[in-house]
Amino acid sequence: MSRRHHFHIDYLGHSVSATVQTGHRAVVEILVDGKETGHTPIKDDGPVTVPIELPTDPPTAVTVRATQGPGEPSCLLLVADGGEPREMAPRTY
């Protein structure tokens, strides 16, 4: 049975949302300011990284790391300059 888990963070004035769909067709989708900017299938139980760019001037490269489990999925926003990973808050819809 598939299930969708939603996560969100505001970073540098931009909205970054992630959806982790578990089950038979496991996938991670990333939206920046409501537009899909990243999409990747989940092939195993390990973490999946999705590189994206924020529309700043100049563009800012960040990565979303999604983990399916154990337990509930989670997402982190990883900044390119090596700063602390930022936990993306779970959202219920």
Side-chain angles (χ1 to χ4, degrees), residues 3-9 16-22 27-31 64 66-67 72-76 87-93:
R3 198 167 156 210
R4 296 172 66 91
H5 303 268
H6 305 279
F7 301 88
H8 180 82
I9 193 168
V16 180
S17 300
T19 300
V20 179
Q21 180 171 320
T22 60
V27 67
V28 176
E29 299 170 335
I30 308 298
L31 303 177
V64 174
T67 306
E72 293 293 312
S74 64
C75 287
L76 292 174
E87 184 173 349
M88 297 177 70
R91 294 273 174 107
T92 56
Y93 291 96

Side-chain angles (χ1 to χ4, degrees), residues 21-93:
Q21 180 171 320
T22 60
H24 181 65
R25 291 186 169 203
V27 67
V28 176
E29 299 170 335
I30 308 298
L31 303 177
V32 174
D33 297 333
K35 297 177 184 170
E36 185 173 329
T37 59
H39 185 272
T40 191
I42 301 172
K43 296 182 175 130
D44 56 29
D45 289 335
V48 173
T49 57
V50 184
I52 59 172
E53 282 189 343
L54 300 179
T56 55
D57 188 18
T60 302
V62 296
T63 302
V64 174
R65 183 173 67 200
T67 306
Q68 283 196 94
E72 293 293 312
S74 64
C75 287
L76 292 174
L77 181 74
L78 308 173
V79 295
D81 65 6
E84 285 292 314
R86 293 162 165 47
E87 184 173 349
M88 297 177 70
R91 294 273 174 107
T92 56
Y93 291 96

